């Protein structure tokens, strides 16, 4: 697996994401936001958490207009994999690669803690390492993680089995408890919780490891 991790001004989880990819056996290249193309042979693009461009305007809105995001969209359009975590999820909604938007947390406060996630589907290369119905512990750290979409969009996501994860105890007001969603071709995943922060026992948990290992296995077999 060859992974590219995008780095924006304000990214603060880029190295964490790179370490998790490498631990799963990936070759990783860091790609600067001003670059206009991805390295050759990239299988998956990781868009990390943080505060891209200081979260001015809306979270992820300026990043979505960056030079590299054109290449990310092209990568996704030709069937490449993309993983957006936290601010990365916000960027994916702003680019239109995923539907909906991430609003201010319902309690209007920044939340940083480990939460329970229910795996809603194992029918994707991101979630194949889990069983549907599994409950895993993954950290969150966000101020704008309240997933919102119109009722028809939420229903479509549910009917098409594109809700990847839901919160067992909704921390931010997200519609239908949604914590992560998949694209129509199931190759783009956006999620607010941080699986890369649950990929090392020394950091308190390893429930995120299966996501990275499943990806590595799927891409090795491709």
């Amino acid at each position: 697996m060859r992974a590219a991790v995008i780095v924006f001004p304000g990214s603060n989880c880029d190295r964490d994401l790179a370490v998790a990819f490498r631990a799963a056996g990936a070759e990783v290249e860091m790609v600067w936001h001003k670059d206009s193309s991805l390295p050759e042979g990239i299988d998956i693009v990781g868009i990390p958490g943080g505060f891209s461009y200081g979260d001015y305007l809306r979270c992820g809105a300026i990043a979505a207009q960056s030079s590299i995001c054109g290449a990310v969209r092209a990568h996704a359009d030709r069937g490449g994999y993309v993983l957006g975590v936290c601010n990365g999820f916000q960027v994916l909604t702003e680019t239109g690669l995923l539907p909906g938007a991430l609003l201010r947390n319902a309690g209007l406060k920044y939340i940083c803690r480990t939460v329970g996630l229910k795996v809603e589907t194992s029918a994707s290369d991101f979630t194949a390492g889990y069983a549907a119905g599994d409950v895993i512990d993954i950290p969150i750290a966000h101020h704008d993680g309240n997933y919102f979409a119109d009722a028809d969009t939420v229903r479509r996501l549910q009917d098409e089995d594109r809700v990847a994860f839901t919160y067992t105890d909704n921390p931010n007001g997200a519609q239908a408890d949604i914590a992560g969603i998949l694209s129509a071709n199931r190759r783009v995943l956006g999620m607010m919780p941080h699986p890369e922060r649950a990929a090392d026992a020394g950091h308190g948990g390893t429930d995120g490891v299966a996501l990275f290992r499943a990806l590595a296995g799927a891409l090795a077999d491709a």
Side-chain angles (χ1 to χ4, degrees):
M1 178 170 68
R2 294 198 65 215
V5 175
I6 310 302
V7 184
F8 297 103
S11 294
N12 63 14
C13 300
D14 44 324
R15 288 175 175 80
D16 307 63
L17 193 53
V19 167
F21 276 131
R22 289 191 181 108
E27 298 177 13
V28 181
E29 294 194 46
M30 311 302 281
V31 179
W32 186 233
H33 68 115
K34 288 188 176 181
D35 292 348
S36 58
S37 62
L38 295 168
E40 289 292 324
I42 290 298
D43 298 304
I44 181 165
V45 176
I47 306 180
F51 306 90
S52 58
Y53 297 91
D55 278 349
Y56 288 106
L57 299 182
R58 293 184 308 276
C59 299
I62 299 176
Q65 304 304 315
S66 66
S67 297
I68 196 59
C69 272
V72 174
R73 281 191 291 268
H75 173 79
D77 287 345
R78 60 177 175 264
Y81 290 80
V82 183
L83 170 63
V85 176
C86 198
N87 186 228
F89 188 8
Q90 295 161 347
V91 172
L92 290 177
T93 61
E94 291 289 341
T95 60
L97 287 174
L98 291 174
L102 282 307
L103 308 181
R104 187 67 46 88
N105 294 341
L108 303 182
K109 292 183 178 180
Y110 180 84
I111 306 169
C112 183
R113 65 172 186 262
T114 298
V115 300
L117 293 185
K118 181 182 177 184
V119 180
E120 293 290 341
T121 181
S122 61
S124 80
D125 290 334
F126 296 95
T127 58
Y130 306 104
D134 282 353
V135 174
I136 59 177
D137 293 325
I138 304 289
I140 58 171
H142 59 248
H143 197 270
D144 297 74
N146 180 352
Y147 181 78
F148 175 82
D150 62 81
D152 287 343
T153 297
V154 172
R155 190 177 305 111
R156 185 170 68 251
L157 290 170
Q158 294 169 332
D159 291 347
E160 294 176 0
D161 194 35
R162 289 169 53 194
V163 176
F165 303 103
T166 56
Y167 298 107
T168 58
D169 184 11
N170 193 331
N172 53 34
Q175 201 160 356
D177 301 326
I178 288 173
I181 60 172
L182 295 156
S183 61
N185 69 358
R186 313 185 81 76
R187 292 194 170 195
V188 179
L189 170 65
M191 59 187 297
M192 286 309 298
H194 288 267
E196 79 283 5
R197 295 187 183 179
D200 187 315
H203 295 163
T206 58
D207 283 359
V209 169
L211 184 150
F212 295 99
R213 286 182 178 169
L215 272 173
L219 291 167
D221 293 339

